[in-house]
RNA sequence: GCCCGGAUGGCGGAAUGGUAGACGCUGCGGACUUAAAAUCCGUUCCUCGCAAGAGGGUGAGGGUUCGAGUCCCUCUCCGGGCACCA
């Protein structure tokens, strides 16, 4: 054993008194430190983690601990299986809610956060969760966020080497540049030989510039363009009312702030960004290394949004664009577009740029200048809401400029429209209206030419022809006629054909795609483009870089200083932490004016904090803070070594807990062995944490390639809630039905009318919570039924991953189950029940059922199927109750099975069987497969697939023997009467089916 | 619109292609009790039948199979995610 134990003592309860028993054992666990995780124990490690909570002021309702109880059962089970279990808990305590609560109540967020954490700890402890509380921390602890800042510095001081496909120190890059191994291309991007092929835009033929010829400022800019953390002018979701920028996920579909529902505007601002896009390929490919639910992996794939296609360059030509450009002494630019359908290049009849595209002003002809400027203004002002609402009708304006379609040298007009997004691809598209819905709508609206270049199938043609008006001349026409019309006039058809088919109308002097199937056509044209230097195949991702700064007080300060000439200076590691300054007024200063500049609260911090002198130069601290995601990106690492003052976690501790050995059940490629939380974090938290982890891994700070080896998503708890006539929610626990019965008793019965204070209310259904006034607290449930009952009930409700309806009444069944166990073990005087014999188990049925139960409960826990595990235990207890007596060994074995689910009751009864140590230290019972079945097995008899009876037969009985037994069965015989047996199917030991005519 | 999940008694749910409804809640009947609570016993998918029993039944329709809640196709409804991503 790794530890000394205090000898546990049972209470003196005569009846099952959960409240007394539970507090007794919670005290014991606390004093004994029963659940301490032991670093470097010889036993195999197992890391079980919950997604840590935000400590809200409202406290927990019964839905919150669902996942915590599941992991607790798993952790307790794994300990009994001989694992050294790390099962910690912490608090994600930075963030806007604490700040807003603090603002409303005039209390410092540190105070409210502390109070909320204390309350949540109390609630969690009361549930008997077996956390190693010595490892608990909050992300707001200075000792913690100091290392969040340290990780930010690692990002800042690193770059992604596309050749090695991993992050490296920025110093390595400087060295390579100084030695002339790398040169600098357009936009301060370094030319990497390996990436040249996939680089966006026109290939740089100049060979690039030499690093040593650059000015200091230019050098800084080049490095900034490659650091994993960088400042950039980006279009952000600016919410003037909240005085802060918001991440995309914090903006609703209606284009308003998730918190407060204020309008959000698009606006360029200088913000910190993290270069997550450099990791996109690894974030996608390495999903193969983890054991996660497929739907969650799929959501990450969709978010990453990989599309294969080609980049093509369209020279901007024709007058007057070239003339205008020539007049300014500029060479004609080329517009690059990304397309997933390069096979439709011959059908590109116009181009569209995003209104924010940098070449728009240069391209617009003088006569179109005003219209273009006006459209740009409008587009900038339009909120997401307006854009969404207008998604059906396309808007846009002609720039006056023309480009040349490189496959046929055709002059095609260049438009701008807000249906093209600057943030995706190159911010420009080639429009192929015949084969893209959006381009089709736009072309129809602005009467642009539509040219068919892919032949649809006959079914599609007929279906479309049927939708056209009679005067179009194709409705009901012969298929040959419809085909002919499509080739010449796709515009008379009501929709674009976006499917695959054989190419048509697609050839020039050098290349022909005609009659090629779409995949072949793509390959052929891509090769041609590449040979001609007009484009290349390209993989495009939807994922964008991560906007990492917020204009808020209650977050981690950046360890960054700004010099007078725009120099950015990272705070030295040994100067960390940069503590959040104490402030009287930490409110974000909102405004109704969307154009007002952001005024982060830290701008009002004391001068002594804001300004720092280095080498005689006065620097100002970065005034933004990090987003709430930052703290939750690496907390699982801190749990490995939470008190380390020298590092975020000691390398040995990190390696022990995160990589471990290769014990059965551990995550295959390392990482947390079981991570449980809600599916709402399927994308962002998990993607961000994976990104940070990979950076730390590349820099040699962590040992596993992925942070979370096995992931499980628990479902929500839903509940009924009630609204009065005005749509106001009323407290659900005060609602009664027409007979005056509490609503919670009759909530799912039909034909109920509900009333609150005599007035009728409407029953609705939704996620449990404060806002719907339907929260049921674990405190109330523990008080009335005990934590063991609440734990088991939440698990009994249904599959862990499913959405479940709370029904307070149902807990009675579990409560009875626990009381029944007590009565089987303890007599009326509080002594060991006389039914428990000190002999070996003598009842063969008990023995068989016990082994079945050991098997089923163990297997179900491994798969997190706790509901069926509990059912099996109920079956076993129902059997014990009917048995005359049972052995002390049977009694002990069952308690071990019960212990993960109802640990307090199990400890209490275990101690009463004169055991001298905690049941948590007992080892999980093994089942004996030989005990699972008797000498005889039950075979079901069917006639024509219908059950007609069954009988016990010898295990090894052959078909003829069983068939004879079946024919002896009176009911089977009755159904065979007068029929001819056609066929007999016998599944040994299971079923015999007689097919008759 | 696209991509994932689901749909089984009055309710929560259970069923390696092999007796559908385990386990529990509720309801009903009974025992114990002066009474109540607690506890225990019985019963509770639908239809017909006094009963023994027979027939039907897992959102709808079709298919594969000796046999389908489970596998395949089409559709309906509900939940979740993404959404002008070229």
């Amino acid at each position: 054993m790794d530890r000394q134990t205090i000898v546990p003592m049972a209470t003196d309860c005569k009846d099952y008194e959960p409240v007394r028993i539970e507090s007794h054992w919670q005290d014991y666990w606390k004093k004994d430190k029963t659940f301490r995780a032991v670093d470097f124990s010889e036993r195999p490690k197992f890391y079980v983690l919950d997604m840590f909570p935000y400590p809200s002021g409202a406290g927990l309702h019964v839905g919150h601990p669902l996942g915590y109880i599941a992991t607790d059962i798993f952790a307790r089970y794994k300990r009994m299986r001989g694992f050294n279990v790390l099962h910690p808990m912490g608090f994600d305590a930075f963030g806007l809610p604490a700040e807003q609560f603090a603002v409303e109540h005039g209390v410092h967020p540190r105070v409210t956060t502390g109070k909320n954490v204390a309350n949540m700890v109390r609630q969690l402890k009361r549930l008997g969760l077996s956390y190693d509380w010595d490892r608990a921390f909050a992300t707001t602890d200075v000792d913690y966020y100091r290392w969040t800042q340290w990780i930010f510095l690692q990002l800042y001081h690193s770059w992604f080497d596309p050749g090695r496909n991993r992050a490296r120190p920025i110093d390595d890059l400087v060295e390579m540049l100084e030695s002339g191994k790398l040169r600098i291309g357009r936009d301060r991007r370094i030319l990497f030989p390996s990436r040249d092929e996939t680089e966006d835009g026109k290939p740089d033929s100049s060979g690039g510039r030499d690093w040593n010829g650059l000015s200091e400022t230019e050098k800084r800019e080049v490095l900034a363009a490659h650091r994993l953390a960088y400042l950039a002018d980006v279009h952000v979701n600016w919410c003037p009312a909240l005085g802060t920028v918001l991440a995309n996920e914090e903006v609703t579909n209606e284009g308003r702030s998730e918190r407060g529902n204020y309008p959000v505007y698009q606006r360029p601002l200088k913000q910190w960004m993290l270069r997550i896009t450099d990791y996109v390929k690894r974030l996608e490919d390495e999903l193969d290394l983890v054991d996660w639910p497929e739907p969650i992996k799929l959501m990450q794939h969709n978010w990453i949004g990989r599309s294969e296609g080609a980049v093509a360059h369209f020279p901007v030509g024709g007058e007057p664009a070239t003339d205008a450009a020539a007049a300014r002494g500029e060479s004609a630019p080329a517009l690059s577009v990304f397309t997933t359908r390069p096979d439709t290049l011959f059908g590109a009849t116009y181009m569209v740029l995003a209104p924010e595209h940098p070449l728009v002003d240069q391209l617009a002809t003088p006569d179109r200048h005003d219209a273009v400027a006006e459209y740009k203004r409008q587009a900038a002002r339009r909120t997401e809401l307006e854009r969404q609402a207008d998604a059906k009708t396309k808007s846009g304006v002609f720039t006056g400029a023309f480009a040349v379609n490189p496959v046929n040298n055709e002059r095609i007009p260049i438009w701008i429209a807000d249906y093209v997004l600057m943030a995706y691809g190159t911010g420009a598209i080639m429009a192929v209206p015949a084969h893209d819905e959006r381009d089709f709508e736009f072309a129809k609206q602005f009467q642009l030419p539509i040219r068919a270049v892919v032949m649809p199938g006959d079914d599609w043609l007929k279906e479309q022809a049927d939708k056209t008006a009679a005067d179009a001349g194709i409705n009901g026409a012969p298929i040959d006629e419809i085909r002919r019309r499509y080739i010449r006039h796709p515009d008379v058809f009501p929709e674009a054909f976006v499917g695959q088919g054989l190419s048509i109308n697609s050839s020039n002097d050098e290349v022909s795609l005609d009659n090629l199937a779409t995949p072949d056509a793509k390959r052929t044209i891509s090769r041609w483009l590449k040979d001609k230097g007009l484009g290349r195949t390209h993989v495009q991702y939807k994922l964008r870089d991560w906007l990492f700064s917020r204009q808020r007080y209650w977050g981690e300060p950046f360890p960054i200083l700004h010099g007078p000439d725009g120099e950015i200076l990272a705070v030295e590691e040994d100067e960390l932490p940069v503590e959040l300054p104490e402030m009287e007024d930490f409110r974000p200063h909102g405004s109704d004016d969307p154009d007002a500049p952001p005024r982060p609260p830290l701008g009002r911090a004391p001068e002594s904090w804001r300004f720092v002198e280095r080498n005689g130069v006065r620097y100002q601290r970065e005034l933004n803070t990090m987003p709430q995601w930052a703290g939750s990106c690496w907390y699982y690492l801190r749990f490995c070594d939470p008190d380390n003052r020298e590092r975020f976690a000691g390398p040995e501790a990190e390696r022990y807990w995160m990589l471990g050995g290769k014990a059965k059940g551990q995550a295959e490629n390392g990482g947390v062995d079981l991570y449980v939380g809600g599916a709402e974090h399927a994308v962002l938290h998990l993607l961000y944490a994976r990104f940070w982890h990979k950076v730390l891994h590349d820099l040699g700070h962590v040992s596993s390639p992925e942070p979370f080896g096995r992931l499980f998503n628990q479902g929500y708890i839903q509940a009924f809630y009630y609204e009065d006539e005005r749509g106001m929610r009323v407290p659900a626990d005060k609602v009664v039905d027409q007979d005056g019965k509490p609503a919670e008793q009759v909530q799912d019965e039909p034909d109920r009318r509900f009333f609150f204070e005599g007035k009728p209310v409407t029953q609705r259904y939704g996620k449990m919570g404060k806002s719907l006034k339907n929260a049921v607290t674990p405190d109330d449930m523990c008080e009335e039924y005990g934590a063991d009952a609440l734990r088991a009930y939440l698990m009994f409700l249904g599959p862990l991953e499913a959405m479940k309806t709370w029904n307070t009444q149902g807990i009675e069944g579990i409560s009875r189950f626990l009381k029944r166990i007590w009565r089987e073990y303890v007599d009326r005087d509080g002594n060991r029940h006389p039914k428990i014999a000190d002999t070996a188990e003598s009842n063969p049925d008990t023995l068989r059922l016990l082994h079945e139960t050991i098997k089923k409960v163990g297997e179900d826990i491994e798969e997190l199927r706790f509901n069926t595990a509990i059912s099996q235990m109920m079956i076993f207890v129902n059997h014990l109750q009917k048995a005359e007596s049972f052995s002390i060994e049977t009694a002990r074995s069952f308690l071990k099975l019960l212990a993960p689910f109802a640990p307090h009751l199990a400890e209490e009864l275990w101690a009463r069987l004169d055991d001298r140590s905690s049941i948590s230290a007992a080892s999980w019972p093994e089942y004996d497969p030989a005990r699972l079945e008797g000498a005889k097995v039950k075979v079901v008899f069917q006639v024509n697939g219908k059950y007609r009876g069954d009988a016990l037969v010898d295990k090894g009985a052959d078909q003829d023997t069983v068939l004879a037994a079946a024919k002896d069965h009176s009911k089977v015989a009755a159904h065979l009467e007068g029929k001819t047996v056609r066929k007999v199917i016998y599944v040994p030991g299971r079923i015999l089916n007689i097919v008759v005519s």
Side-chain angles (χ1 to χ4, degrees), chain A residues 312-315 345 404-410 508 528-529 534:
Chain A
H313 311 300
F314 284 61
L345 204 43
V404 176
N405 185 336
V407 292
N408 54 15
N409 289 322
E410 205 168 291
N508 62 26
W528 184 82
L529 285 171
L534 292 166

Side-chain angles (χ1 to χ4, degrees), chain A residues 748-806:
Chain A
D748 39 35
E749 286 175 26
D751 304 322
R752 296 284 141 178
R753 282 169 292 123
F754 295 99
F755 299 90
F756 171 69
E757 292 177 346
K759 290 187 216 96
V761 290
T762 321
Q763 185 185 54
R764 295 185 191 284
Y765 183 64
K767 203 172 158 188
M768 182 178 276
K770 199 170 108 179
S771 64
L772 299 182
K773 295 196 180 170
N774 59 355
V776 175
T777 70
D779 293 318
D780 289 347
M781 290 292 114
C782 287
E783 193 63 38
E784 196 167 347
Y785 299 98
D788 284 339
L790 177 59
R791 289 168 60 109
Y793 180 53
L794 279 167
M795 295 301 104
F796 186 63
L797 229 37
L800 186 61
E801 67 276 18
M803 197 157 62
K804 291 172 281 276
T805 308
W806 177 258

Side-chain angles (χ1 to χ4, degrees), chain A residues 825 850 854 888-898 910 925:
Chain A
Y825 280 74
L850 175 67
I854 293 170
I888 189 159
E889 271 321 304
T890 300
R892 281 208 175 92
S893 294
F894 175 72
L895 284 185
K896 291 179 188 174
L897 303 184
L898 179 71
W910 185 254

Side-chain angles (χ1 to χ4, degrees), chain A residues 282-290 690 694 705-706:
Chain A
R282 274 179 51 196
L283 288 170
E284 166 139 272
D285 294 347
E286 291 171 16
L287 279 173
D288 290 344
L289 299 179
V290 294
R690 291 180 65 216
K694 287 180 187 304
E706 285 280 337

Side-chain angles (χ1 to χ4, degrees), chain A residues 365-609:
Chain A
T365 54
D367 58 312
R368 301 296 302 156
H369 206 272
D370 290 350
V372 166
E374 175 55 25
Y375 186 79
K376 280 179 68 172
R377 231 187 336 267
Q378 263 182 38
R381 204 164 337 114
R382 260 152 58 106
T383 62
E384 284 296 319
L385 175 66
E386 288 159 342
R387 275 183 114 153
Q388 300 274 338
D390 284 1
K392 291 274 173 289
T393 53
K394 299 271 180 291
S395 68
V397 296
F398 178 45
T399 61
F402 290 85
V404 176
N405 185 336
V407 292
N408 54 15
N409 289 322
E410 205 168 291
R411 220 165 142 258
I412 58 176
I414 303 171
W415 287 60
I416 61 171
D418 64 4
Y419 83 91
V420 174
L421 310 173
M422 191 59 223
Y424 184 76
T426 60
I429 61 155
M430 65 173 202
V432 184
H435 304 295
D436 181 281
E437 278 171 45
R438 297 150 301 178
D439 298 343
F440 186 79
E441 282 171 33
F442 192 82
K444 286 232 162 178
Q445 186 156 340
F446 295 103
Q447 276 134 49
L448 291 156
I450 300 171
R451 183 182 307 146
V453 291
V454 182
M455 196 62 205
D458 291 349
D459 290 349
W460 186 89
L461 288 170
K462 272 192 204 136
E463 194 186 305
Q464 292 290 312
D466 289 347
K467 288 187 197 166
T468 57
D471 62 355
I474 51 170
N475 196 331
I479 187 67
D480 286 349
E481 173 59 19
I482 300 173
R483 279 199 210 121
R484 254 196 307 279
R485 282 296 292 276
Y486 187 79
I487 295 167
R488 301 287 295 279
H489 283 288
D491 52 307
V492 303
F493 288 73
E495 285 171 29
F497 174 69
V498 299
Q500 306 207 346
L502 299 182
S503 289
I504 51 171
N505 297 332
S506 297
S507 64
N508 62 26
D509 295 344
E510 297 174 17
V511 65
S512 172
L513 307 180
D514 290 344
N515 286 316
L516 291 182
T518 300
D520 297 331
K522 283 181 179 177
R523 224 170 294 132
T524 306
I525 195 68
S526 297
R527 201 178 314 124
W528 184 82
L529 285 171
K530 190 179 177 227
D531 292 345
K532 302 284 286 182
L534 292 166
R536 65 174 68 81
T537 58
H538 178 74
V539 176
Q540 179 68 42
Y541 296 93
K542 246 169 22 180
L543 186 75
R544 304 172 199 178
D545 275 342
W546 176 10
L547 174 67
F548 197 66
S549 38
R550 300 297 129 95
Q551 292 70 44
R552 287 175 187 159
Y553 171 71
W554 196 230
E556 299 88 346
F558 282 81
I560 291 289
L561 304 172
H562 294 273
D565 62 345
E567 182 198 356
I568 293 168
L569 190 65
V571 171
E572 294 295 322
E573 281 182 22
D574 58 15
E575 291 175 302
L576 295 179
V578 176
E579 283 198 51
L580 201 53
E582 285 303 318
M583 285 172 62
E584 288 285 308
D585 175 16
F586 40 78
R587 272 173 300 163
H589 280 198
S591 162
D592 293 333
D593 177 7
D595 296 323
R599 288 179 296 170
L602 288 181
R604 283 171 276 121
E607 286 223 354
S608 59
W609 184 88

Side-chain angles (χ1 to χ4, degrees), chain A residues 249 276 546 629 633 683-692:
Chain A
E249 63 275 8
I276 191 172
W546 176 10
W629 305 108
C633 263
V683 176
L684 297 162
H685 159 63
L686 291 173
L687 200 64
Y688 293 156
R690 291 180 65 216
F691 166 50
W692 278 34

